[in-house]
Amino acid sequence: MPIEAESPEQFGYDKIRYNLTESSVTDRQLKDIIPQLSDLTLAYSDHVGHLPFRELIAGGAPGLSAEDVLLTAGASTALYMIATALLSPGDHMVVAHPNYATNIETPRANGCDVSFLELKFEDQYRLDLEQLSNLIRPATKYVSLTYPHNPTGVMIQPEELEALVALVEAKGCYLLLDETYREMSFGAMLPIAASLSESVISVSSLSKTYGI
């Protein structure tokens, strides 16, 4: 995409005096993190992720266990895996717009029929459940939303999340909730959406909140 030409990686970090837009982790040297490497074993690990780490993630959500957690190299990889696992060419899905590009472009690249749930400035980018319900078809595989919303930061209330989950359950499709900024919200955090229903897939990341 054209925006890639302006990314720090392409433009060159050495040319940027004040980088006020970086949302991931500052470059680090391995010696700063692990001073002594003599006892480090380099080997393949569990294909779905380190078990104690998965247990730690699941421990923050009642009803989830390590078996419900899959570790990936960032949220982008998880979003790609979900889209390619659940969607085939010609399948239908609904995605909020505007949105993080991967949530839109991966399904489209996969040949999917994509309907946009338009979030509008004049409506303060609020979620319209009635509009969403009208966009869902009998053949819809999943609904893709982000909360806190990317890129506006708009939030939904717990009762809205519960109504959203009830909607996808009634419609017989999945809800993909990109929760990358969940722990950066003001006030109380929403529960991990995947803990509310087997019809919900939660995706999150370490780089945004913990990178800062």
Side-chain angles (χ1 to χ4, degrees):
M1 294 183 290
I3 195 173
E4 291 299 325
E6 299 180 8
S7 69
E9 296 86 353
Q10 295 299 113
F11 182 71
Y13 281 100
D14 58 319
K15 300 176 184 176
I16 303 172
R17 173 179 282 185
Y18 302 112
N19 185 358
L20 304 181
T21 63
E22 184 62 74
S23 61
S24 58
V25 182
T26 303
D27 293 344
R28 299 290 300 275
Q29 292 186 327
L30 192 59
K31 67 179 181 181
D32 297 331
I33 304 171
I34 310 175
Q36 302 298 326
L37 301 179
S38 57
D39 296 328
L40 178 64
T41 300
L42 301 177
Y44 284 113
S45 64
D46 191 316
H47 289 188
V48 295
H50 188 52
L51 178 59
F53 191 18
R54 289 189 287 123
E55 290 174 337
L56 181 65
I57 293 170
L64 293 183
S65 71
E67 297 302 313
D68 300 306
V69 178
L70 173 66
L71 299 183
T72 62
S76 293
T77 302
L79 295 171
Y80 176 85
M81 290 170 63
I82 293 163
T84 53
L86 294 182
L87 298 171
S88 299
D91 284 344
H92 179 253
M93 58 91 69
V94 180
V95 60
H97 182 269
N99 207 314
Y100 178 57
T102 300
N103 285 319
I104 297 173
E105 297 303 332
T106 301
R108 290 210 299 197
N110 203 31
C112 292
D113 181 8
V114 178
S115 293
F116 291 111
L117 175 66
E118 295 292 349
L119 306 178
K120 300 178 181 178
F121 173 80
E122 51 269 28
D123 297 328
Q124 298 182 319
Y125 299 104
R126 303 302 305 178
L127 174 65
D128 186 331
L129 284 174
E130 183 177 355
Q131 180 188 4
L132 174 59
S133 179
N134 292 335
L135 289 171
I136 299 174
R137 307 172 188 171
T140 301
K141 291 296 183 69
Y142 70 80
V143 173
S144 176
L145 303 175
T146 69
Y147 284 105
H149 179 245
N150 183 359
T152 69
V154 168
M155 272 290 285
I156 56 175
Q157 298 303 309
E159 56 269 23
E160 291 178 283
L161 177 58
E162 292 173 2
L164 178 59
V165 172
L167 174 63
V168 297
E169 287 180 334
K171 294 286 189 177
C173 62
Y174 287 101
L175 168 64
L176 167 60
L177 196 62
D178 184 340
E179 303 173 337
T180 296
Y181 293 93
R182 174 175 171 268
E183 295 182 68
M184 292 178 66
S185 58
F186 291 99
M189 287 187 295
L190 291 172
I192 295 175
S195 68
L196 303 179
S197 171
E198 293 185 357
S199 297
V200 181
I201 304 167
S202 292
V203 172
S204 193
S205 172
L206 285 171
S207 63
K208 300 301 184 285
T209 301
Y210 294 95
I212 291 175

